[in-house]
Amino acid sequence: MTTLTSSPSTHLVTLQQLLESGDRQHSLLQSSLTALLAAADNISEDVSVAHIPFAQFRLDSRHVAAHDVFVLLKSQTGHCQKSRDYLLQAASQAAFILSEIDPSDLFDDGQSPADVLSCPLIYVPHIRDFLGSLIQARLQYQQPSRLPTVVAVTGTNGKTTISQLVAQLTQLTGMSSAVMGTAGNGRLGALVQASHTTGDALAVQQFVYQMALEKAEILALEASSHGLDQQRLQGVPISVAIYTNLSRDHLDYHADMAAYAAAKARLFDKTHFPSLTHAIINIDDEYAQVMLDMAHASGLTVWTYSLDASKPATFVATDIAPSLEGVKITLQTDIAGGDTADKGTGHKESRCINIVSPLLGRFNVANLLAAIAAAAALGMSLERIAKIVPQLQGAVGRMQRVASRDGCFIVDYAHTPDALSQVLASLRTHCEGQLWAVFGCGGDRDAGKRPLMAQAGLAGADRVILTADNPRTEDPEAILQDMQAGMSTAQYQRTHIEPARQAAIEYAVMQAAPNDIVVIAGKGHETYQEINHVRYDFDDSVVLQQALQKAGRR
């Protein structure tokens, strides 16, 4: 996550000052702060927490400095001993502590926080409901700055591509744009690699504020299910929310697909994001109705998109003609775009617009529709958008073609069964020879997905090479064994197993014929391979280029 180049002033501030200076539009923050201070006064008779000067909010006990406020959040593992250790570590420096965890769970019977800690502790069980707004209020206190308009994208697949396309479309019309997500954070052309799709509440708010200081007008961000479930985006001024699709992923975190969908649907809930105006939803997805119900209940302007001309979507792609150079489509819509998109005039004008896109793959047509709809919601005319589309570039590691003398070699991030199936189906129509898929599964993640990934590869490709992805703390051989569950003898005959990812890529390059297509899937933009808590340099596109050079195919 980008660090602040203009950090919050070292001048101290109090919660009371934040309450008094806060934007009266932010009623949630106002009411939450008032309740917090009332609760704090009830437990602290000697000194009012409302008037204790502090510097910054911290969520990591290791970063707490003198006069900071430490916010203790619940661990996803529920490990109270670790939480207690963090608390004690922070208490020696903190001005005071705000805890999401009940103190009775942190201290022995008969002990109170005052007996153990050298600073006040206030129990705030619902602090996530306003933590982002509180952090942003602190950031804005010394140097107010206009926050960018935010477009947020959620879904299993497509988030990175859509967010980057939205940023490119707006920037190509003269707006200053930035992105935040899996492929990096920052202004276009100057991204800094991120460790998480959606950072913690502090990192998110610091980044949004930094973009404000850099005069970014538009911020397109990826909203992960983890981030939404844990309210890490609370307080972000999201205007346009996009839903792509839902397929099996993250079931090591979510109880089931219904819980996964519910987490995604939070993005369309105006009680969580009061600045929402537009919802853009892919009605080709089976979970679309969950998002539509929430968006309609929130009173949003709801636009839909589809690749099926028989569906009554707001944006429909017809006459789709994909190739290995891109795709030509006819966009059919009844939205005028431009000013009418913002003013809600109700003006309807069904029309068709021809669009030429450099993005590979049929599924990227859906991603493009979502980005076009978002740009229209921001006020861009569809005619202007159509003229800009040929200038777009795909996100790094998303259907990225690596130059070769013969054959076709693609690097893609597809790491779910559905995403892999879509990539292979898109390339199948262009493959004159054999279609190869090289992929693995991550360690310490949903093990139930592993055989599904192998079957998706076998269903879509002629030849499959199973290899390591990011093993993390698991044995790569054990992961590969999981992937082979249920494979038939005929499927084994089409499968090559090579645990070493570099060797697997080299094998594909050596074995593929001049008219074959090879997809290296699963890691995409990543520049590392994580093994036993260590990240080693590993970039699929670089390794592929080296293999092609070694084989005399580049």
Side-chain angles (χ1 to χ4, degrees):
M1 192 66 67
T2 301
T3 55
L4 286 171
T5 56
S6 177
S7 62
S9 170
T10 53
H11 291 95
L12 304 183
V13 67
T14 68
L15 292 177
Q16 185 63 40
Q17 287 174 313
L18 290 185
L19 176 62
E20 293 172 353
S21 68
D23 184 345
R24 297 299 169 183
Q25 298 292 322
H26 293 288
S27 57
L28 173 63
L29 178 59
Q30 297 290 316
S31 60
S32 299
L33 263 178
T34 300
L36 185 158
L37 296 180
D41 284 342
N42 289 337
I43 65 170
S44 181
E45 297 178 358
D46 296 332
V47 58
S48 171
V49 173
H51 299 289
I52 296 178
F54 68 91
Q56 301 183 53
F57 292 102
R58 298 291 188 188
L59 305 186
D60 188 329
S61 59
R62 296 168 297 182
H63 298 160
V64 176
H67 305 297
D68 283 343
V69 173
F70 178 54
V71 181
L72 178 64
L73 299 176
K74 291 179 181 177
S75 165
Q76 295 304 307
T77 63
H79 199 309
C80 280
Q81 182 56 52
K82 283 189 176 181
S83 296
R84 177 185 168 91
D85 292 342
Y86 300 150
L87 184 67
L88 295 175
Q89 181 180 21
S92 61
Q93 295 277 1
F96 56 92
I97 294 169
L98 303 177
S99 175
E100 183 186 26
I101 305 173
D102 190 329
S104 64
D105 294 331
L106 295 169
F107 301 101
D108 297 332
D109 291 342
Q111 282 187 320
S112 71
D115 297 330
V116 180
L117 305 177
S118 57
C119 66
L121 179 147
I122 303 95
Y123 174 41
V124 194
H126 303 296
I127 192 168
R128 291 178 196 253
D129 289 347
F130 64 95
L131 178 59
S133 297
L134 184 60
I135 293 170
Q136 191 59 232
R138 172 63 188 101
L139 293 169
Q140 294 277 350
Y141 185 75
Q142 240 78 44
Q143 188 178 350
S145 189
R146 183 183 179 85
L147 298 181
T149 298
V150 178
V151 176
V153 190
T154 197
T156 305
N157 302 310
K159 296 188 297 296
T160 300
T161 296
I162 294 171
S163 59
Q164 297 229 353
L165 294 180
V166 169
Q168 289 181 50
L169 284 172
T170 51
Q171 184 137 307
L172 286 167
T173 61
M175 300 184 206
S176 177
S177 304
V179 294
M180 180 176 79
T182 310
N185 306 315
R187 305 289 289 280
L188 283 182
L191 301 187
V192 176
Q193 184 62 52
S195 59
H196 294 83
T197 301
T198 306
D200 65 36
L202 177 61
V204 167
Q205 292 297 334
Q206 286 179 329
F207 176 75
V208 173
Y209 181 65
Q210 180 63 44
M211 293 302 97
L213 294 178
E214 294 183 19
K215 308 301 182 186
E217 298 169 84
I218 303 294
L219 170 60
L221 61 82
E222 300 176 47
S224 70
S225 59
H226 294 67
L228 289 165
D229 185 61
Q230 296 170 23
Q231 296 178 261
R232 300 182 207 161
L233 290 171
Q234 191 282 317
V236 175
I238 298 171
S239 295
V240 180
I242 299 172
Y243 171 72
T244 64
N245 50 66
L246 210 65
S247 62
R248 179 164 181 152
D249 201 13
H250 304 307
L251 293 190
D252 53 322
Y253 177 88
H254 301 288
D256 50 33
M257 290 298 291
Y260 186 23
K264 295 293 191 184
R266 292 176 68 98
L267 183 60
F268 303 93
D269 188 342
K270 204 172 174 76
T271 61
H272 293 302
F273 302 103
S275 54
L276 276 173
T277 61
H278 288 73
I280 297 167
I281 295 169
N282 174 18
I283 61 168
D284 292 340
D285 184 75
E286 64 176 309
Y287 289 92
Q289 194 60 49
V290 178
M291 315 303 152
L292 288 167
D293 289 345
M294 182 64 76
H296 285 302
S298 293
L300 305 182
T301 296
V302 179
W303 290 348
T304 56
Y305 64 97
S306 173
L307 302 187
D308 185 345
S310 68
K311 291 183 179 178
T314 317
F315 296 86
V316 180
T318 64
D319 303 321
I320 301 171
S323 71
L324 287 176
E325 283 68 50
V327 64
K328 295 179 181 178
I329 66 171
T330 299
L331 172 63
Q332 182 176 314
T333 182
D334 58 10
I335 295 297
D339 293 337
T340 59
D342 284 342
K343 293 178 180 177
T345 61
H347 176 68
K348 299 286 186 179
E349 182 186 352
S350 182
R351 59 205 173 120
C352 293
I353 301 172
N354 293 323
I355 293 178
V356 178
S357 167
L359 304 179
L360 299 179
R362 180 182 172 89
F363 61 89
N364 267 329
V365 176
N367 292 335
L368 180 61
L369 289 185
I372 289 173
L378 294 172
M380 292 174 59
S381 75
L382 293 175
E383 286 75 15
R384 191 174 189 188
I385 293 170
K387 290 179 181 179
I388 292 171
V389 169
Q391 301 177 52
L392 296 176
Q393 297 178 358
V396 174
R398 269 67 174 179
M399 287 292 273
Q400 178 184 349
R401 188 170 182 177
V402 174
S404 58
R405 290 171 57 183
D406 56 42
C408 177
F409 296 86
I410 303 286
V411 171
D412 192 82
Y413 188 55
H415 61 283
T416 67
D418 180 64
L420 184 59
S421 295
Q422 290 195 47
V423 167
L424 294 174
S426 291
L427 294 173
R428 169 60 71 186
T429 57
H430 309 297
C431 190
E432 297 176 358
Q434 290 192 316
L435 180 57
W436 294 68
V438 183
F439 61 94
C441 286
D444 302 332
R445 297 294 187 268
D446 177 16
K449 186 175 75 173
R450 294 170 185 174
L452 302 180
M453 279 290 289
Q455 290 300 319
L458 286 161
D462 300 300
R463 299 290 302 275
V464 165
I465 302 175
L466 301 183
T467 188
D469 189 278
N470 288 316
R472 299 185 176 89
T473 65
E474 286 195 68
D475 179 358
E477 297 277 6
I479 297 173
L480 289 169
Q481 283 296 324
D482 288 347
M483 295 182 72
Q484 296 170 61
M487 281 176 55
S488 68
T489 301
Q491 288 177 326
Y492 269 114
Q493 292 174 348
R494 297 192 287 118
T495 303
H496 179 76
I497 299 171
E498 173 50 72
R501 193 172 180 90
Q502 180 176 338
I505 293 172
E506 290 175 347
Y507 178 85
V509 170
M510 291 298 296
Q511 296 297 317
N515 60 347
D516 289 354
I517 296 178
V518 177
V519 181
I520 315 296
K523 290 172 56 58
H525 65 282
E526 293 177 353
T527 57
Y528 62 85
Q529 188 173 38
E530 186 175 340
I531 304 172
N532 290 324
H533 303 295
V534 178
R535 289 189 171 186
Y536 298 91
D537 288 342
F538 198 102
D539 185 325
D540 277 356
S541 64
V542 172
V543 173
L544 177 56
Q545 289 172 38
Q546 293 170 344
L548 289 166
Q549 187 75 37
K550 183 178 178 180
R553 304 185 70 167
R554 183 175 171 83

